[in-house]
Structures are given as C-alpha cells and as structure tokens.
Amino acid sequence: MNNSTENALALFPHQPNEMPRLSTETEPPTFTTIKNFQQKLDANMMAIDSTTTNLGHLAIVTTDEEFDTMNGGPYIVSTDPGPTAPNPVVSITPTTNNDQAQAIFGALLFTAVETIRLFNQQKQEYNLSPAVKKVARNMIIRAVEDKYMCFLKHSRTIHANVKPITIMQHLWTNYGTVEANDLKENEKRMRAP
C-alpha cells in the first residue's frame, strides 16, 4: 500500500471492512443493498478533498451527468504538473537599480514559494486520484460476489482497468430494480414513529 492509498483510507468515514455487503453467495444484489452501499461509498469519496470541487472525489463513483447536476459543473480531472515546479521568470537588466532589484528579488521569493506550494498541491492530488479509484474499485469488488459482475472481468487484468462507476452502473442496471419487498420495507419505515 502506498502513502496516497493510506492517506485516502485514513479519511474514509466507512472503512473497507465496515462496508455493507452487496450480495451473498445465494442472494444477488438488490435495490436496497446497492442503495445502502452507494450511500457509504459516496460518503467515502466526498471525504477525500479535491482542489477542483467541494464534492471531493465523488465523480469517481457517479456518472458525469449526475456529477454535473450535483456539482453545478463538470469534474476537472487532475493533470500531472510535471517532474518539477516551474521556474519563475524574472528580468533584471543592467539598468535595474538596487531598489528595483530588491523589490524584484522579494517578489521572486514570494512567487517561488507560492509556485512550489501549488506544484506540490497539484502533484499530491494527481497522485491521490488513481489511489482513490483503486480503493473504491476494491471496496466494490469485495462487497459483491464475483458471479454478479464476472462479465466485467478481463482474463488477464481481472478488474484492474474497470472503473468503479462502471461496476456500480452494472449493478444498478442489472440488480437495482425496486422490488415489492423494497416497497413494503419503505412503507414500514415511513409509518414508523
């Protein structure tokens, strides 16, 4: 486990071993089990800060359309800022006097520190996003029996290249239908004092 993964896990309100089961060997996922799991998964994803949205990494486990609606705009994917922070450019010419040079140096020092801070922040988020995706995918895979999502499995990479949202969409599409029992349980909850 790398530092990014450990950092993400530490922030989750629902640890992977506390996530509800989506299915059992004999019972497929249901609307209720998927809904309960999705709520906890969403809470975990929102607990991981992002510099581009106040919804954290929720975009990893929701469709683009859902996220756009909740966020008021699209998710901005972190890009690699490169191997090193950019070098602030300064222009001191032979005609620059001492006072001007000191002012330029002071501004350069502030600019350099801020540039490095922003670079480190971008690099951290860029490294964190794949780790959060991997943890989310693994939480889903551990919560559902393989037979309910085996068609998503690749013969060699297994689920390594499957996005968490792809798995959740598959579960919602194939098992997320509201059943009569779900309606009865909902009515009981509504009538309870």
Side-chain angles (χ1 to χ4, degrees):
M1 207 177 316
N2 65 35
N3 281 344
S4 294
T5 304
E6 290 172 3
N7 292 344
L9 284 170
L11 295 172
F12 285 167
H14 309 286
Q15 292 300 304
N17 60 340
E18 299 168 350
M19 294 294 285
R21 295 286 307 163
L22 285 158
S23 66
T24 66
E25 188 64 39
T26 57
E27 294 291 322
T30 65
F31 174 84
T32 302
T33 62
I34 299 170
K35 181 180 173 211
N36 291 340
F37 185 88
Q38 183 82 58
Q39 288 173 337
K40 291 185 189 277
L41 183 63
D42 291 352
N44 281 352
M45 296 299 102
M46 288 188 288
I48 309 298
D49 287 336
S50 170
T51 59
T52 62
T53 175
N54 64 347
L55 297 178
H57 285 75
L58 184 62
I60 290 172
V61 295
T62 58
T63 65
D64 291 342
E65 297 79 23
E66 285 176 309
F67 187 82
D68 288 356
T69 300
M70 291 183 280
N71 189 51
Y75 180 67
I76 300 167
V77 178
S78 301
T79 56
D80 188 354
T84 59
N87 189 11
V89 177
V90 135
S91 174
I92 297 178
T93 65
T95 61
T96 305
N97 68 37
N98 194 33
D99 290 340
Q100 289 172 324
Q102 286 180 347
I104 290 171
F105 179 74
L108 176 61
L109 189 57
F110 171 78
T111 303
V113 169
E114 182 63 8
T115 300
I116 292 168
R117 185 191 70 76
L118 289 172
F119 170 80
N120 288 337
Q121 184 181 30
Q122 290 170 339
K123 194 69 166 178
Q124 181 180 4
E125 185 154 341
Y126 175 75
N127 290 334
L128 181 61
S129 193
V132 174
K133 268 186 198 168
K134 187 180 218 177
V135 170
R137 179 179 50 245
N138 289 343
M139 283 193 306
I140 299 166
I141 290 168
R142 286 186 194 120
V144 66
E145 299 299 316
D146 188 58
K147 67 183 175 181
Y148 301 116
M149 58 175 200
C150 61
F151 95 94
L152 296 172
K153 187 186 281 188
H154 184 271
S155 62
R156 300 213 27 218
T157 61
I158 315 301
H159 294 105
N161 292 325
V162 181
K163 294 178 182 177
I165 184 57
T166 302
I167 302 170
M168 291 307 297
Q169 284 179 311
H170 165 74
L171 295 172
W172 279 113
T173 300
N174 293 288
Y175 304 102
T177 307
V178 178
E179 302 288 336
N181 189 39
D182 294 318
L183 292 173
K184 287 178 189 173
E185 289 299 316
N186 189 43
E187 187 173 343
K188 278 185 198 175
R189 283 191 300 272
M190 286 175 38
R191 293 181 187 272

